[in-house]
Each structure stands twice: as C-alpha cells, then as structure tokens.
Amino acid sequence: MVEINADGGTLAHIPDDLTIPQFILDSQHPLRPAADPQRPWLIEESTGRAVRANELRARISGLANAFNHQWNIGDPALWRTIGYTY
C-alpha cells in the first residue's frame, strides 16, 4: 500500500479490504469515535424519527435482497460473507 504523507505527518491507515457497508456500519477506525447503539445515525426531517444502526443494517439487507431478486445483481455468497442476510 502506498504511504501518504501530509504536513501533519503520516495519515492513519485507510482500510482497503472492506466493502462500503462494512466500512460505514461495522468497522472501527482510530479517528472515528466509538459507535453508541442508542445514538441515531439519521433523523427524518419531517417527523423527527430517529433511525439507528440496526434499522439501517436491516434496510441495506432488504435493498440488497431486492436487487438480487429483481435484477440478479450481486452475489448471494458475497452478502453472506460480509454478514448481511437477505
């Protein structure tokens, strides 16, 4: 992997072996605060309803399932390896 240097020194490692859902939902990075399961990830503007990580995981799983079922997009084995069932 290429070393990237900036004026402030060497940057923290950027993982290159994760899918985007894994990186966003499941990985821990030294520069990222620890995830609090009670803290909402999204808040619906019109209703103020909080959407937490578990709901996002379920919705991503449902979307992946729909893509696979409707258009045969994605490999079902890949979804199982990253921890999402469909």
Side-chain angles (χ1 to χ4, degrees):
M1 179 174 218
V2 176
E3 287 292 321
I4 301 172
N5 294 305
D7 294 338
T10 303
L11 298 175
H13 172 70
I14 300 171
D16 58 358
D17 58 345
L18 301 173
T19 64
I20 292 173
Q22 282 177 317
F23 179 73
I24 293 173
L25 295 172
D26 300 327
S27 71
Q28 287 298 322
H29 193 272
L31 300 177
R32 180 179 177 183
D36 177 3
Q38 297 305 315
R39 180 175 292 160
W41 284 47
L42 304 170
I43 298 175
E44 288 185 8
E45 183 177 3
S46 60
T47 64
R49 185 178 78 85
V51 179
R52 292 179 172 75
N54 286 341
E55 182 177 349
L56 284 178
R57 282 186 185 89
R59 289 180 176 261
I60 289 170
S61 177
L63 182 63
N65 183 28
F67 281 176
N68 185 271
H69 179 74
Q70 183 71 28
W71 297 291
N72 200 27
I73 296 175
D75 179 6
L78 174 65
W79 292 108
R80 283 192 293 277
T81 61
I82 61 173
Y84 297 98
T85 57
Y86 62 97

